[in-house]
Amino acid sequence: MAVSGVLMVLFIIAHMAGNLHVFEGREEMNAYAAGLRSFGAPLLPHESLLWVMRIGLVASIAVHIGALIALSRRAHHARPVRYAHRHKAKGESPNAYGIMRFGGIVIFLFVIWHLLDLTWRTVNPVKDAHDAYGAVMATFDPDRWPVTVFYLLALTALGLHLRHGIWSAVQTIAGPNTKWRKRTQAIALAVAVLIVAGFAIVPLAVTFGVVS
């Protein structure tokens, strides 16, 4: 579960960096998107890189959910009767499990919307697959402010999920008794804030006319 989570974080960071090309303008953003589709040509088929990334992401999500189910079942079989008062690990937020589950659901629903909007363009006014810049402008148009609000709420859920998830992954891989505990908590929070800010700046810039 920790390893699949780390792979998804790396994908998220790469995706965030790609989104920031919107500040370079229409030509540069569309050139970046076209480069992703034509990467490796003519040796590799069209959109090879994108499909590798998509399949890798789907596989990571499947492994992540599968690990969650397996761990939940293992915990239930190990102790079928719940604790009257569950001991909270140091550094764990009071509602960590609830936050992770709720955040996971919100993120899952957002990914579906994101695919319908900016990948398949089913709900996006811009149907031209080569106009990535125009699609982003249309998505976060001020008249579609509910989409921007939903996007920001999903980012909040993502940030909470990342903060706890990164901390938990390090605890799982490195072990709970480490002098790096406080540093790990700070790093997890910093990474979560950086990713959320990196994603949020795009819809906010478009909605408020900084980019048009």
Short mmCIF file of all heavy atoms in Angstrom, two decimals, residues 98-138:
data_model
loop_
_atom_site.label_atom_id
_atom_site.label_comp_id
_atom_site.label_asym_id
_atom_site.label_seq_id
_atom_site.Cartn_x
_atom_site.Cartn_y
_atom_site.Cartn_z
N GLY A 98 -10.88 8.14 9.17
CA GLY A 98 -12.05 8.74 8.51
C GLY A 98 -11.63 9.69 7.40
O GLY A 98 -12.22 9.72 6.32
N ILE A 99 -10.59 10.48 7.66
CA ILE A 99 -10.09 11.42 6.66
C ILE A 99 -9.58 10.68 5.44
O ILE A 99 -9.86 11.05 4.29
CB ILE A 99 -8.96 12.29 7.27
CG1 ILE A 99 -9.55 13.29 8.28
CG2 ILE A 99 -8.22 13.05 6.16
CD1 ILE A 99 -8.51 14.09 9.02
N MET A 100 -8.83 9.60 5.65
CA MET A 100 -8.26 8.85 4.54
C MET A 100 -9.36 8.21 3.69
O MET A 100 -9.32 8.23 2.46
CB MET A 100 -7.30 7.79 5.06
CG MET A 100 -6.05 8.36 5.71
SD MET A 100 -5.05 9.34 4.59
CE MET A 100 -4.24 8.05 3.66
N ARG A 101 -10.37 7.64 4.35
CA ARG A 101 -11.45 6.99 3.60
C ARG A 101 -12.30 8.01 2.86
O ARG A 101 -12.59 7.83 1.67
CB ARG A 101 -12.31 6.17 4.56
CG ARG A 101 -11.61 4.93 5.09
CD ARG A 101 -12.40 4.26 6.18
NE ARG A 101 -11.71 3.09 6.72
CZ ARG A 101 -12.10 2.42 7.79
NH1 ARG A 101 -13.19 2.79 8.44
NH2 ARG A 101 -11.41 1.38 8.22
N PHE A 102 -12.70 9.07 3.55
CA PHE A 102 -13.51 10.10 2.91
C PHE A 102 -12.73 10.77 1.79
O PHE A 102 -13.25 11.01 0.69
CB PHE A 102 -13.95 11.14 3.94
CG PHE A 102 -14.71 12.29 3.35
CD1 PHE A 102 -16.02 12.14 2.95
CD2 PHE A 102 -14.09 13.53 3.18
CE1 PHE A 102 -16.72 13.21 2.38
CE2 PHE A 102 -14.79 14.59 2.63
CZ PHE A 102 -16.10 14.43 2.23
N GLY A 103 -11.45 11.09 2.08
CA GLY A 103 -10.62 11.72 1.06
C GLY A 103 -10.45 10.83 -0.15
O GLY A 103 -10.48 11.31 -1.29
N GLY A 104 -10.30 9.53 0.06
CA GLY A 104 -10.16 8.61 -1.06
C GLY A 104 -11.39 8.59 -1.95
O GLY A 104 -11.28 8.56 -3.17
N ILE A 105 -12.57 8.64 -1.33
CA ILE A 105 -13.82 8.65 -2.10
C ILE A 105 -13.94 9.92 -2.92
O ILE A 105 -14.28 9.89 -4.11
CB ILE A 105 -15.04 8.51 -1.16
CG1 ILE A 105 -15.03 7.12 -0.50
CG2 ILE A 105 -16.34 8.73 -1.92
CD1 ILE A 105 -16.08 6.96 0.58
N VAL A 106 -13.66 11.07 -2.29
CA VAL A 106 -13.73 12.36 -2.99
C VAL A 106 -12.75 12.40 -4.15
O VAL A 106 -13.09 12.84 -5.26
CB VAL A 106 -13.45 13.52 -2.01
CG1 VAL A 106 -13.35 14.85 -2.78
CG2 VAL A 106 -14.54 13.61 -0.96
N ILE A 107 -11.54 11.93 -3.92
CA ILE A 107 -10.52 11.92 -4.96
C ILE A 107 -10.94 11.01 -6.11
O ILE A 107 -10.77 11.35 -7.29
CB ILE A 107 -9.16 11.47 -4.39
CG1 ILE A 107 -8.65 12.51 -3.39
CG2 ILE A 107 -8.14 11.28 -5.50
CD1 ILE A 107 -7.48 12.04 -2.56
N PHE A 108 -11.51 9.86 -5.80
CA PHE A 108 -11.96 8.92 -6.83
C PHE A 108 -13.05 9.57 -7.71
O PHE A 108 -12.99 9.48 -8.94
CB PHE A 108 -12.50 7.65 -6.18
CG PHE A 108 -13.04 6.64 -7.17
CD1 PHE A 108 -12.17 5.88 -7.94
CD2 PHE A 108 -14.40 6.47 -7.32
CE1 PHE A 108 -12.66 4.96 -8.85
CE2 PHE A 108 -14.90 5.55 -8.22
CZ PHE A 108 -14.03 4.79 -9.00
N LEU A 109 -14.02 10.22 -7.07
CA LEU A 109 -15.08 10.89 -7.83
C LEU A 109 -14.52 12.03 -8.67
O LEU A 109 -14.94 12.23 -9.82
CB LEU A 109 -16.14 11.44 -6.86
CG LEU A 109 -16.95 10.39 -6.09
CD1 LEU A 109 -17.88 11.07 -5.10
CD2 LEU A 109 -17.74 9.50 -7.05
N PHE A 110 -13.53 12.74 -8.11
CA PHE A 110 -12.93 13.84 -8.86
C PHE A 110 -12.17 13.33 -10.08
O PHE A 110 -12.21 13.95 -11.15
CB PHE A 110 -11.99 14.64 -7.97
CG PHE A 110 -11.18 15.65 -8.74
CD1 PHE A 110 -11.77 16.81 -9.21
CD2 PHE A 110 -9.83 15.41 -9.02
CE1 PHE A 110 -11.03 17.73 -9.95
CE2 PHE A 110 -9.10 16.33 -9.74
CZ PHE A 110 -9.69 17.49 -10.21
N VAL A 111 -11.47 12.21 -9.93
CA VAL A 111 -10.71 11.65 -11.06
C VAL A 111 -11.66 11.30 -12.20
O VAL A 111 -11.36 11.56 -13.38
CB VAL A 111 -9.92 10.40 -10.61
CG1 VAL A 111 -9.39 9.64 -11.82
CG2 VAL A 111 -8.76 10.81 -9.71
N ILE A 112 -12.83 10.75 -11.87
CA ILE A 112 -13.82 10.44 -12.90
C ILE A 112 -14.25 11.71 -13.63
O ILE A 112 -14.30 11.76 -14.86
CB ILE A 112 -15.04 9.73 -12.28
CG1 ILE A 112 -14.64 8.36 -11.74
CG2 ILE A 112 -16.16 9.59 -13.32
CD1 ILE A 112 -15.75 7.64 -11.03
N TRP A 113 -14.56 12.75 -12.86
CA TRP A 113 -14.96 14.03 -13.46
C TRP A 113 -13.81 14.60 -14.30
O TRP A 113 -14.03 15.10 -15.41
CB TRP A 113 -15.36 15.02 -12.38
CG TRP A 113 -15.49 16.41 -12.92
CD1 TRP A 113 -14.55 17.41 -12.88
CD2 TRP A 113 -16.61 16.97 -13.64
NE1 TRP A 113 -15.01 18.54 -13.51
CE2 TRP A 113 -16.26 18.30 -13.99
CE3 TRP A 113 -17.85 16.46 -14.01
CZ2 TRP A 113 -17.14 19.11 -14.68
CZ3 TRP A 113 -18.72 17.29 -14.71
CH2 TRP A 113 -18.37 18.59 -15.03
N HIS A 114 -12.60 14.53 -13.78
CA HIS A 114 -11.44 15.07 -14.46
C HIS A 114 -11.23 14.40 -15.81
O HIS A 114 -10.92 15.06 -16.81
CB HIS A 114 -10.21 14.88 -13.57
CG HIS A 114 -9.01 15.66 -14.01
ND1 HIS A 114 -9.01 17.03 -14.11
CD2 HIS A 114 -7.76 15.26 -14.38
CE1 HIS A 114 -7.83 17.45 -14.52
NE2 HIS A 114 -7.05 16.39 -14.70
N LEU A 115 -11.43 13.09 -15.85
CA LEU A 115 -11.30 12.37 -17.11
C LEU A 115 -12.38 12.78 -18.10
O LEU A 115 -12.12 12.99 -19.28
CB LEU A 115 -11.38 10.86 -16.85
CG LEU A 115 -10.18 10.23 -16.12
CD1 LEU A 115 -10.49 8.79 -15.77
CD2 LEU A 115 -8.93 10.30 -16.99
N LEU A 116 -13.61 12.90 -17.62
CA LEU A 116 -14.73 13.32 -18.48
C LEU A 116 -14.53 14.74 -19.00
O LEU A 116 -14.94 15.07 -20.12
CB LEU A 116 -16.05 13.24 -17.70
CG LEU A 116 -16.55 11.84 -17.35
CD1 LEU A 116 -17.75 11.93 -16.42
CD2 LEU A 116 -16.92 11.06 -18.61
N ASP A 117 -13.89 15.57 -18.19
CA ASP A 117 -13.75 16.99 -18.53
C ASP A 117 -12.54 17.27 -19.41
O ASP A 117 -12.67 17.81 -20.51
CB ASP A 117 -13.66 17.81 -17.23
CG ASP A 117 -13.68 19.30 -17.49
OD1 ASP A 117 -14.25 19.72 -18.52
OD2 ASP A 117 -13.14 20.05 -16.67
N LEU A 118 -11.35 16.91 -18.95
CA LEU A 118 -10.13 17.33 -19.64
C LEU A 118 -9.44 16.24 -20.45
O LEU A 118 -8.56 16.55 -21.25
CB LEU A 118 -9.14 17.89 -18.60
CG LEU A 118 -9.55 19.23 -18.00
CD1 LEU A 118 -8.60 19.63 -16.87
CD2 LEU A 118 -9.58 20.32 -19.07
N THR A 119 -9.81 14.98 -20.25
CA THR A 119 -9.20 13.91 -21.05
C THR A 119 -10.09 13.52 -22.21
O THR A 119 -9.69 13.56 -23.37
CB THR A 119 -8.90 12.68 -20.17
OG1 THR A 119 -8.02 13.07 -19.10
CG2 THR A 119 -8.25 11.59 -20.99
N TRP A 120 -11.33 13.13 -21.90
CA TRP A 120 -12.25 12.71 -22.95
C TRP A 120 -13.09 13.86 -23.49
O TRP A 120 -13.74 13.71 -24.52
CB TRP A 120 -13.16 11.60 -22.41
CG TRP A 120 -12.40 10.40 -21.95
CD1 TRP A 120 -11.28 9.88 -22.53
CD2 TRP A 120 -12.68 9.56 -20.82
NE1 TRP A 120 -10.85 8.78 -21.84
CE2 TRP A 120 -11.68 8.55 -20.79
CE3 TRP A 120 -13.67 9.56 -19.84
CZ2 TRP A 120 -11.66 7.57 -19.80
CZ3 TRP A 120 -13.65 8.59 -18.85
CH2 TRP A 120 -12.65 7.59 -18.84
N ARG A 121 -13.13 14.99 -22.80
CA ARG A 121 -13.86 16.21 -23.19
C ARG A 121 -15.37 16.00 -23.31
O ARG A 121 -16.06 16.73 -24.03
CB ARG A 121 -13.32 16.75 -24.52
CG ARG A 121 -11.81 16.96 -24.56
CD ARG A 121 -11.36 18.13 -23.72
NE ARG A 121 -9.91 18.24 -23.71
CZ ARG A 121 -9.20 18.86 -24.66
NH1 ARG A 121 -9.83 19.43 -25.67
NH2 ARG A 121 -7.90 18.91 -24.58
N THR A 122 -15.89 15.01 -22.61
CA THR A 122 -17.33 14.73 -22.67
C THR A 122 -18.14 15.90 -22.14
O THR A 122 -19.19 16.24 -22.69
CB THR A 122 -17.66 13.48 -21.85
OG1 THR A 122 -16.86 12.39 -22.32
CG2 THR A 122 -19.13 13.11 -21.98
N VAL A 123 -17.67 16.54 -21.07
CA VAL A 123 -18.41 17.64 -20.44
C VAL A 123 -17.68 18.96 -20.63
O VAL A 123 -18.05 19.97 -20.02
CB VAL A 123 -18.63 17.37 -18.94
CG1 VAL A 123 -19.51 16.16 -18.73
CG2 VAL A 123 -17.29 17.20 -18.21
N ASN A 124 -16.68 18.99 -21.49
CA ASN A 124 -15.92 20.21 -21.73
C ASN A 124 -16.37 20.85 -23.03
O ASN A 124 -16.53 20.15 -24.04
CB ASN A 124 -14.42 19.90 -21.79
CG ASN A 124 -13.56 21.17 -21.71
OD1 ASN A 124 -13.58 21.99 -22.61
ND2 ASN A 124 -12.82 21.29 -20.63
N PRO A 125 -16.59 22.17 -23.06
CA PRO A 125 -17.03 22.83 -24.30
C PRO A 125 -16.02 22.72 -25.43
O PRO A 125 -16.40 22.77 -26.60
CB PRO A 125 -17.21 24.29 -23.86
CG PRO A 125 -17.40 24.23 -22.38
CD PRO A 125 -16.55 23.10 -21.92
N VAL A 126 -14.73 22.61 -25.11
CA VAL A 126 -13.69 22.54 -26.14
C VAL A 126 -13.46 21.07 -26.50
O VAL A 126 -12.97 20.28 -25.69
CB VAL A 126 -12.36 23.16 -25.63
CG1 VAL A 126 -11.27 23.02 -26.69
CG2 VAL A 126 -12.58 24.63 -25.30
N LYS A 127 -13.82 20.70 -27.71
CA LYS A 127 -13.73 19.31 -28.15
C LYS A 127 -12.42 19.00 -28.88
O LYS A 127 -12.09 17.82 -29.05
CB LYS A 127 -14.91 18.96 -29.05
CG LYS A 127 -16.27 19.22 -28.43
CD LYS A 127 -16.46 18.44 -27.14
CE LYS A 127 -17.84 18.69 -26.53
NZ LYS A 127 -18.02 17.97 -25.25
N ASP A 128 -11.70 20.02 -29.29
CA ASP A 128 -10.45 19.82 -30.02
C ASP A 128 -9.40 19.22 -29.08
O ASP A 128 -8.95 19.87 -28.13
CB ASP A 128 -9.96 21.15 -30.58
CG ASP A 128 -8.69 21.00 -31.42
OD1 ASP A 128 -8.24 19.85 -31.59
OD2 ASP A 128 -8.17 22.03 -31.89
N ALA A 129 -9.00 17.99 -29.34
CA ALA A 129 -8.06 17.29 -28.47
C ALA A 129 -6.70 17.97 -28.43
O ALA A 129 -5.93 17.77 -27.49
CB ALA A 129 -7.91 15.84 -28.93
N HIS A 130 -6.38 18.76 -29.45
CA HIS A 130 -5.07 19.41 -29.52
C HIS A 130 -5.03 20.75 -28.78
O HIS A 130 -3.95 21.32 -28.61
CB HIS A 130 -4.67 19.63 -30.99
CG HIS A 130 -4.57 18.36 -31.77
ND1 HIS A 130 -3.51 17.48 -31.65
CD2 HIS A 130 -5.42 17.80 -32.68
CE1 HIS A 130 -3.69 16.44 -32.44
NE2 HIS A 130 -4.84 16.60 -33.08
N ASP A 131 -6.19 21.23 -28.35
CA ASP A 131 -6.25 22.53 -27.67
C ASP A 131 -6.36 22.32 -26.16
O ASP A 131 -7.42 22.56 -25.56
CB ASP A 131 -7.42 23.35 -28.20
CG ASP A 131 -7.39 24.80 -27.71
OD1 ASP A 131 -6.37 25.20 -27.10
OD2 ASP A 131 -8.38 25.52 -27.91
N ALA A 132 -5.28 21.87 -25.56
CA ALA A 132 -5.28 21.65 -24.10
C ALA A 132 -5.47 22.96 -23.35
O ALA A 132 -6.16 23.01 -22.33
CB ALA A 132 -3.96 20.98 -23.69
N TYR A 133 -4.86 24.01 -23.85
CA TYR A 133 -4.97 25.32 -23.20
C TYR A 133 -6.42 25.80 -23.19
O TYR A 133 -6.94 26.25 -22.17
CB TYR A 133 -4.09 26.33 -23.94
CG TYR A 133 -4.02 27.70 -23.31
CD1 TYR A 133 -3.07 27.99 -22.34
CD2 TYR A 133 -4.91 28.71 -23.69
CE1 TYR A 133 -2.99 29.25 -21.77
CE2 TYR A 133 -4.84 29.97 -23.11
CZ TYR A 133 -3.89 30.23 -22.15
OH TYR A 133 -3.83 31.48 -21.60
N GLY A 134 -7.08 25.69 -24.34
CA GLY A 134 -8.48 26.12 -24.43
C GLY A 134 -9.38 25.32 -23.51
O GLY A 134 -10.32 25.86 -22.92
N ALA A 135 -9.09 24.02 -23.37
CA ALA A 135 -9.90 23.17 -22.49
C ALA A 135 -9.77 23.61 -21.04
O ALA A 135 -10.75 23.63 -20.29
CB ALA A 135 -9.48 21.72 -22.65
N VAL A 136 -8.55 23.96 -20.63
CA VAL A 136 -8.34 24.43 -19.26
C VAL A 136 -9.06 25.75 -19.03
O VAL A 136 -9.69 25.97 -17.99
CB VAL A 136 -6.82 24.59 -18.97
CG1 VAL A 136 -6.60 25.25 -17.60
CG2 VAL A 136 -6.13 23.23 -19.01
N MET A 137 -8.97 26.65 -20.02
CA MET A 137 -9.67 27.93 -19.90
C MET A 137 -11.18 27.73 -19.78
O MET A 137 -11.86 28.40 -18.99
CB MET A 137 -9.39 28.81 -21.13
CG MET A 137 -7.94 29.25 -21.30
SD MET A 137 -7.28 30.19 -19.92
CE MET A 137 -6.15 28.97 -19.23
N ALA A 138 -11.71 26.79 -20.56
CA ALA A 138 -13.15 26.53 -20.53
C ALA A 138 -13.57 25.89 -19.21
O ALA A 138 -14.64 26.20 -18.67
CB ALA A 138 -13.53 25.63 -21.71
#
